Structure formats: C-alpha cells, structure tokens
Amino acid sequence: MAKPTVLMLTPMLPAIVEKLNARFETHWLPGAADPEAVIADAAERVRAIGMFPTGKVDAALMRRLPNLEIVAVAGAGYEWVDMSEAKARSVMVTNAPDALTAEVADVAMALIVMTVRKLAAADAYLRAGRWEAEGPMKLSPGSLVGATLGILGLGRIGHAVAKRAEAFGLKIAYHGRRRQDGVAYAYHDSPEALAEACDILLVATPGGADTHHMIDARILEKLGRSGYLVNIGRGTAVDEAALVAALEAGTIAGAGLDVYEDEPRVHPGLVGLENAVLLPHLASGSVPTRTAMGQAMLDNLEAWFETGKPVSPVSEMG
C-alpha cells in the first residue's frame, strides 16, 4: 500500500523528520530551491499538511490540493489555517494543545519576574561595567510582593501560569469570554476592568480577528503608571505603536514580550527601551518541548490515516 503523501510547510527537529519520512511520503517546502515546483509536483497526491504554527494554509493552497484530508499543526495556535475553507472542503484540522503548556507557563513566569524586577537591564548594567564605575543600579520600582496578576485568556496556559503565580504569592484575576465554573479567581467582565484591577496584565489569548489589538492605548491607560504588560499569547493582540507610546510616556511602567505583530520584525521603537524585556518568541523553544509538539502532530496524522479519527481535532471540528 502506498504511503500517504504529506506536504510539510515548516522545518521539524531531526527526530520528527526521521519518523515522518519513515511513515509517509513527505515533501518539504523548507530548504526547497523551488517551493512552487514542489507543490505542483505533489499536488494531486497530497492528503495531509503538517507544520508548526508558523506556516500558512489559506484557501488558495487548499484549492491546489484536491485530495487534502487533514492539516496537522504542531502547536496550540491555528489561526494561520483558513477554517472556513477547511470546513467547506471537509478538511480536518488538528493541533497540539497540551504539548507546550508547561514550557510556555514557565517562560511566562520568568518574563513576569524579569520585567517587574528589571533583570535584563540589571544584567546589561553589570556587563557594561557600570556597577563598578557608577555603584549600585537604581532600585526597581516594581515588586511582585502583594501584586495582582490579571490573566487575559484563562485557557490551558493561563491556568498553568496562575498555578505558578500562586506559588509566588500573587493574587490572581482574569477575564475571558465567560466566567469559568469552579474557578475561585476574581473575574472581571471586560479587559478594561481587568487592566484597572491588576498590577501585571498577562496576555494569554489566541490570535485572530477577535483579539486583534485588544490591548490598545485605552487598556494601557487603565493599567496605569505602576502597571506592567506581559504578552506570551499572540503579538497581534497588542497594538505595538500604542505600547511604544505608553512605555515612552510612562503611561505604564514596563512590558515583557515574547511575541510580536510582524515576526521576526520587531517594532523599532521597542528595541531601545530599557523598560521593555524582549524575547525572540522562544517560550516553547526547548528541544524536549518542540519534539513533543512535533510528536503530537505526527500522532494526529497517524491516527487519521489509521482510524479516520485524529487525537486532538480543533474545537471548530466539533
């Protein structure tokens, strides 16, 4: 029996590449001299697409693949997949909702501490010889002691961050589309109300039109001069121009970001700001976690072709 044909849109770690190539007829766009030729050559045979959540599966690509059955995403987010077209064509879409939760939550807590306590700036201060030349660095204006963490988007990652934050002694509040049953954290019925009630606002929302620029100048004003913004959700949820203006004007005290509106390009106004901690989208960026994400994608592909039922279909699939 012929192996199912899979079109791979993004690189994978070697261990996952080896398994994919053994199980499927794989066609890789990364590194291809002529990606369009790769697609054209395999289009009639392609039954699946695999990718980390940096690939793009739009209607145009799906229409070029008449026998496409499944798009398997090696990550939690899947806003780069045209879900309307997928449903119209009865194409299954899967993701890996649990593989990266703990790792991202760990980095979120690290970013919170780095941002509030100005640890990146402190590291730079020491390395530049300023401690010896100028004496002790100025005290950080913020502290986690007695602070409230507001979580915008209390999903898997939001819950995992909340558990870690409780161990730090932080009080927890949240906003989402609805109040969650069995959750004791303080609920606020709007992003504005949450921003006004917390000291640190953590963005843990998915991407897409519903959350685009949810964090704008108005929300930043509510967060206030002693407030901090941390984003480990999606870069598109934050209006970066408004954030730069708020950081420059002292509208908020600081920001910690792992995601950006136009990756890998970062708003130039952010780069020179000492009150911004900037990470290059690495919250899930460890070999064990990226391997687990790739394995979850592989598990979905194998289950689909063996049983017709994937392990983790996205919620829109019913």
Side-chain angles (χ1 to χ4, degrees):
M1 182 180 295
K3 295 179 180 179
T5 299
V6 179
L7 180 66
M8 294 300 303
L9 304 190
T10 61
M12 293 280 157
L13 292 179
I16 302 302
V17 172
E18 183 178 355
K19 292 179 181 180
L20 282 165
N21 289 341
R23 176 68 177 83
F24 303 104
E25 176 194 332
T26 51
H27 295 264
W28 295 83
L29 295 191
D34 188 349
E36 286 298 315
V38 172
I39 296 173
D41 177 66
E44 294 289 331
R45 302 191 306 280
V46 170
R47 297 173 63 190
I49 289 175
M51 65 177 190
F52 276 116
T54 52
K56 182 178 181 181
V57 182
D58 57 14
L61 178 58
M62 282 188 263
R63 290 167 188 165
R64 295 179 66 183
L65 309 175
N67 296 305
L68 181 64
E69 300 173 24
I70 181 172
V71 176
V73 182
Y78 52 91
E79 62 265 30
W80 297 271
V81 180
D82 186 327
M83 290 302 301
S84 296
E85 184 71 14
K87 287 188 282 188
R89 296 172 61 85
S90 298
V91 172
M92 174 58 66
V93 180
T94 67
N95 67 343
D98 296 315
L100 69 165
T101 299
E103 195 84 275
V104 174
D106 288 346
V107 172
M109 277 309 307
L111 192 50
I112 288 168
V113 177
M114 289 176 68
T115 301
V116 175
R117 292 301 315 278
K118 298 177 68 68
L119 297 187
D123 178 84
Y125 187 88
L126 181 149
R127 290 177 187 274
R130 295 179 63 188
W131 186 17
E132 182 177 359
E134 302 175 29
M137 183 177 168
K138 289 181 180 179
L139 301 179
S140 60
S143 172
L144 270 63
V145 177
T148 296
L149 173 66
I151 301 177
L152 187 60
L154 195 66
R156 287 180 173 87
I157 292 171
H159 274 286
V161 176
K163 289 182 179 179
R164 288 157 173 76
E166 284 186 287
F168 277 72
L170 290 166
K171 297 183 283 291
I172 311 297
Y174 75 101
H175 168 74
R177 285 173 290 185
R178 58 177 178 80
R179 185 190 298 268
Q180 296 186 19
D181 294 337
V183 173
Y185 307 136
Y187 176 74
H188 296 272
D189 61 7
S190 70
E192 293 91 338
L194 180 64
E196 200 164 22
C198 70
D199 303 290
I200 307 156
L201 180 61
L202 176 73
V203 182
T205 61
D210 290 345
T211 60
H212 185 263
H213 283 190
M214 179 178 283
I215 305 301
D216 56 14
R218 182 169 43 94
I219 300 294
L220 296 170
E221 287 175 5
K222 295 289 187 182
L223 186 56
R225 297 182 66 83
S226 62
Y228 297 86
L229 176 75
V230 175
N231 188 7
I232 47 84
R234 283 291 177 262
T236 53
V238 175
D239 181 341
E240 285 183 0
L243 176 59
V244 169
L247 289 167
E248 290 178 338
T251 304
I252 65 172
L257 307 174
D258 185 49
V259 290
Y260 306 89
E261 282 196 77
D262 187 24
E263 297 179 3
R265 289 166 290 278
V266 177
H267 192 295
L270 288 168
V271 177
L273 293 174
E274 190 177 283
N275 57 347
V277 178
L278 309 176
L279 304 181
H281 200 158
L282 52 66
S284 66
S286 72
V287 171
T289 292
R290 290 289 172 87
T291 301
M293 292 163 69
Q295 184 63 52
M297 178 201 70
L298 183 62
D299 292 345
N300 273 308
L301 290 172
E302 290 182 334
W304 176 258
F305 288 116
E306 290 172 5
T307 70
K309 296 181 180 179
V311 177
S312 53
V314 303
S315 58
E316 288 91 331
M317 294 288 102

